[in-house]
C-alpha cells in the first residue's frame, strides 16, 4: 500500500488560527538545524544527514512564507527542491510529518538502544536528547497545523458534511458511493442513488 503524500485540502497561505503552532514549529526547526549541524560536524554522526536534515529541509520548505525562514527556504529551492513545493507550502506538510516522525523514531530508538554509552558520554548524550525532543515537538506542532488546515479540521471543515453523506458522498473518498448491484451507465451516472 502506498501512502499518498500530496495534500488535497486547503491551498495558499496558512490561516491565522495556525500561526501560534507555526511559530513554535519555526523555533523547533531552527533548533533542529543547529543540533543537526553540531552532530554532523563535531560528532561525525552521518545518520543525521539522512534523518534530521531531510526532516528539517521539508520543514523549512513548509515554512517558506514565514519572514524568518523565507531566505533559507529560497536557498533550498534554488538548489533544486523547488519542484517539491508546487507553489503552496501545504504540499510540504505531509512529507514533513512523515520525515519528522521517522527522524524522531530513529533517534529515539538509537538513544534507547545505546543508553549505556550515551549515559557515560554527555558530549554525545545532550545533542541526541535535544534532537529527540525537538523532532518530537516539531511533529506535534505540525500535527496541530494539519488538524487546523485539513478538510475535516477546524479551518477547512465542510459545513454541510451530513447532507453530503446522505447524498451518497463519502468524506474520505470524496465521490459517490457505488452500488455493486447497479451497473454504471451514462443514465445511472446522472441519477441520484
Amino acid at each position: 500500500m502506498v501512502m499518498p503524500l500530496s495534500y488535497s485540502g486547503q491551498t495558499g497561505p496558512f490561516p491565522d488560527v495556525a500561526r501560534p503552532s507555526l511559530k513554535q514549529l519555526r523555533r523547533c526547526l531552527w533548533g533542529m538545524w543547529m543540533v543537526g549541524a553540531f552532530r554532523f560536524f563535531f560528532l561525525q554522526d552521518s545518520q543525521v544527514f539522512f534523518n534530521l536534515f531531510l526532516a528539517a529541509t521539508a520543514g523549512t520548505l513548509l515554512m517558506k512564507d514565514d519572514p524568518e525562514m523565507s531566505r533559507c527556504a529560497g536557498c533550498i529551492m534554488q538548489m533544486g527542491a523547488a519542484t517539491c513545493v508546487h507553489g503552496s507550502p501545504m504540499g510540504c506538510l505531509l512529507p514533513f510529518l512523515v520525515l519528522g516522525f521517522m527522524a524522531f523514531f530513529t533517534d529515539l530508538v538509537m538513544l534507547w538502544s545505546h543508553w549505556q554509552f550515551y549515559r557515560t558520554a554527555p558530549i554525545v548524550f545532550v545533542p541526541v536528547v535535544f534532537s529527540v525532543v525537538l523532532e518530537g515537538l516539531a511533529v506535534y506542532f505540525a500535527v496541530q497545523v494539519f488538524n487546523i488546515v485539513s478538510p475535516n479540521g477546524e479551518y477547512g471543515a465542510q459545513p454541510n458534511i451530513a447532507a453530503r453523506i446522505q447524498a451518497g458522498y463519502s468524506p474520505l473518498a470524496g465521490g459517490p458511493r457505488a452500488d455493486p448491484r447497479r451497473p454504471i451507465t451514462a443514465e445511472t451516472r446522472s441519477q441520484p442513488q
Side-chain angles (χ1 to χ4, degrees):
M1 184 168 130
V2 177
M3 184 173 80
L5 292 180
S6 63
Y7 179 73
S8 60
Q10 177 196 5
T11 58
F14 288 105
D16 291 334
V17 179
R19 294 290 171 205
S21 296
L22 288 170
K23 183 178 179 183
Q24 298 299 327
L25 179 62
R26 179 182 62 223
R27 291 178 180 163
C28 291
L29 287 171
W30 282 119
M32 286 170 65
W33 279 112
M34 288 187 280
V35 169
F38 180 81
R39 283 178 61 187
F40 185 74
F41 291 116
F42 294 110
L43 301 179
Q44 305 296 316
D45 188 0
S46 61
Q47 179 230 359
V48 166
F49 185 72
F50 298 108
N51 283 336
L52 191 94
F53 284 160
L54 284 176
T57 300
T60 303
L61 291 174
L62 171 68
M63 302 288 291
K64 77 173 191 142
D65 291 340
D66 187 67
E68 291 183 26
M69 301 285 283
S70 62
R71 292 183 67 195
C72 295
C75 181
I76 292 171
M77 288 172 55
Q78 285 179 354
M79 289 191 290
T83 58
C84 301
V85 180
H86 302 297
S88 173
M90 297 289 181
C92 295
L93 187 56
L94 288 178
F96 174 70
L97 283 171
V98 170
L99 292 170
F101 181 75
M102 285 175 34
F104 168 72
F105 184 72
T106 55
D107 280 346
L108 186 64
V109 167
M110 186 178 69
L111 181 66
W112 191 13
S113 64
H114 302 311
W115 178 253
Q116 294 300 325
F117 169 71
Y118 286 131
R119 198 177 65 184
T120 60
I123 190 71
V124 179
F125 174 73
V126 172
V128 173
V129 169
F130 278 161
S131 294
V132 170
V133 169
L134 289 169
E135 291 160 356
L137 286 172
V139 169
Y140 171 75
F141 291 122
V143 166
Q144 284 186 338
V145 171
F146 180 77
N147 287 338
I148 292 170
V149 299
S150 69
N152 294 327
E154 296 172 21
Y155 181 77
Q158 299 169 359
N160 204 2
I161 193 73
R164 290 188 68 214
I165 291 173
Q166 288 176 352
Y169 285 88
S170 165
L172 180 61
R177 294 187 193 144
D179 186 359
R181 297 169 289 171
R182 188 172 164 194
I184 298 176
T185 62
E187 296 89 29
T188 58
R189 284 188 187 174
S190 62
Q191 297 173 356
Q193 294 183 3

